[in-house]
Amino acid sequence: MGVAPSLQGPRPSLLRVSCLLPCLLTAACVTTGEATRALTLEDKCEGGSASSCETWGQQLAMEHRTEEADRAFGRACSLGSTSACLKQGRDRLSRGDLDGAEPPLRRAYDEESEEATLALADLQDARGDAAGAAHFRYEALAIDKSTTEFALGWRVPFDGGMGLALDVNVQPMGLKARRLTLGLNVSADPKRASLNATVGYQHFVTNWFAPYARALVGPYLDVENSRRNPINLGAEVGMKVFAGPIGHLGTGFGTSLDGSTYYFLEAGLDWVLTLVVLGHL
């Protein structure tokens, strides 16, 4: 009888712990695994990541899971991805869903996407609206260009010397889809300096090339060196090569009321990029 109590000491406790230990370790592993499980693209998409939704949609499309891919692209589009809107619209257009394709393409069009504008032209063609298609193709040539840009120009007057010009050009879509341009110009060379308002027209032959002409009018800043003409009146003709929304390079010839004729070369840059460049100087 004296042996029984001794068997109820620490040894049974150790036995119970050793039996429970595997269970505890299993529970800990499961909990840790759940906590450290990598999030899938679907999880990230549901969490509000537009890029994850778009990537997930691309994977689903490769697996021919069309409806699921469409939903993924639609969510990415609603989260602000222009490329996902374009992808969803194009896919729907290719399947003949014209009404379904228009909303995402319109959303990308509102973000000034040239590709979306051309896709909308194709959509109008599919509906038999030739005039509507032609209008979108007209807009597509210039839709991604900068609305406001700064341009620095080098002027070489035919009567000698070297001059400079600084322009601020405004060319919104509302003015004939960026064909009409308004601006301010400050120009100076060894014999004259003037401040001018400008108005011009540029004809987009392609989405990167446009010949143009503009008129300049404004006061001379140095009347004595401008043959005493109080007002400058001039004209320029030239061509521009565009780099999408970044800016352009331009070259051409100009002439002024005081008889000066000059060759010019200019570089234009979107105003936001201009401020960024100036901020890093």
Side-chain angles (χ1 to χ4, degrees), residues 193-206:
S194 61
L195 172 65
N196 307 291
T198 67
V199 58
Y201 181 82
Q202 53 193 9
H203 175 69
F204 284 89
V205 178
T206 69

Side-chain angles (χ1 to χ4, degrees), residues 140-153:
L141 294 174
I143 194 169
D144 65 339
K145 306 304 182 289
S146 174
T147 299
T148 304
E149 62 177 10
F150 291 95
L152 178 64

Side-chain angles (χ1 to χ4, degrees), residues 111-210:
E111 296 298 321
E112 300 185 342
S113 166
E114 179 185 355
E115 293 178 274
T117 309
L118 292 173
L120 283 170
D122 293 339
L123 187 149
Q124 296 304 320
D125 274 334
R127 287 175 171 168
D129 184 358
H135 177 75
F136 279 120
R137 292 192 174 98
Y138 171 81
E139 289 191 339
L141 294 174
I143 194 169
D144 65 339
K145 306 304 182 289
S146 174
T147 299
T148 304
E149 62 177 10
F150 291 95
L152 178 64
W154 292 264
R155 297 175 56 157
V156 183
F158 285 11
D159 55 3
M162 176 73 74
L164 292 174
L166 178 65
D167 285 272
V168 180
N169 298 318
V170 180
Q171 46 190 23
M173 284 295 289
L175 295 180
K176 299 291 184 180
R178 306 200 201 285
R179 269 62 173 183
L180 293 177
T181 64
L182 304 173
L184 290 175
N185 163 273
V186 179
S187 58
D189 60 49
K191 297 183 179 181
R192 59 194 68 83
S194 61
L195 172 65
N196 307 291
T198 67
V199 58
Y201 181 82
Q202 53 193 9
H203 175 69
F204 284 89
V205 178
T206 69
N207 63 348
W208 59 269
F209 175 73

Side-chain angles (χ1 to χ4, degrees), residues 10 25 71 96-97 101 111 132 137 147 180 196 251 269-270 277:
L25 290 175
R71 287 194 294 270
D97 182 8
E111 296 298 321
R137 292 192 174 98
T147 299
L180 293 177
N196 307 291
T251 186
L269 193 64
D270 176 74
V277 171

